[in-house]
Amino acid sequence: MMALVDAARQPDCPYTIALVASDKPDAPGLGWARDRGLASWALSPKGIGKPAYEAALDTALIEAGVEIIALAGYMRLLSDDFVARWRGRIINIHPSLLPKYKGLDTHARAIEAGDPVAGCSVHLVTEELDGGTVLGQASVPIRAGDTPHTLADRVLAEEHRLYPRVLADFAAR
């Protein structure tokens, strides 16, 4: 999220940040965003259920004038109904070279498989977990002695370069 915000502050960036939203009201990124003058919204789905949570999120996004949802660190599965309402306008960053290693534990799975490279993908969100069209990818070598943590650090650096560029290209369309 921070890399997307930093890129949006550049004069030639084709997107702006209309809202920073989270399902975790105590997420540090919300305070970071507010400190930079960005609108923020947070609501925990605990106790209200997924339909009520997504209805409130949908309302907040619409009221903020959001046109594209760029997920960053959002670890909650969106319902098919929510995805359908925003079809073609939700993108996500995933820490693998999709279609390989959908879901969790991507770095450990790549190391265990003996892959020579790992990386990240920006993709359209669909009803299928990590199954939408890939809009961009970046790869990093898997080095001898890599752990999931060391590999994750290098992939994260690539995510911070890739995501703002792909979002800018997507928004400019």
Side-chain angles (χ1 to χ4, degrees), residues 1 17-25 27-43 57 60-61 63-64:
M1 182 254 317
I17 306 296
L19 182 68
V20 175
S22 178
D23 63 333
K24 296 179 177 120
L30 291 170
W32 184 91
R34 283 190 295 270
D35 289 347
R36 282 148 185 82
L38 297 171
S40 65
W41 177 91
L43 177 67
L57 174 60
L61 294 168
E63 287 177 355

Side-chain angles (χ1 to χ4, degrees), residues 45-115:
K46 292 178 183 168
I48 66 169
K50 189 175 204 164
Y53 169 78
E54 286 186 348
L57 174 60
D58 193 57
T59 297
L61 294 168
I62 291 167
E63 287 177 355
V66 170
E67 296 175 13
I68 298 168
I69 300 171
L71 301 175
Y74 191 77
M75 299 300 290
R76 182 168 297 285
L77 293 176
L78 297 167
S79 72
D80 290 355
D81 289 340
F82 186 91
V83 172
R85 280 193 303 281
W86 289 88
R87 179 155 328 282
R89 298 183 295 148
I90 308 173
I91 66 174
N92 186 37
I93 184 86
H94 181 73
S96 80
L97 295 171
L98 291 172
K100 282 184 137 183
Y101 312 122
K102 297 177 181 184
L104 302 174
D105 302 318
T106 59
H107 306 302
R109 290 160 61 197
I111 292 168
E112 288 169 13
D115 291 351

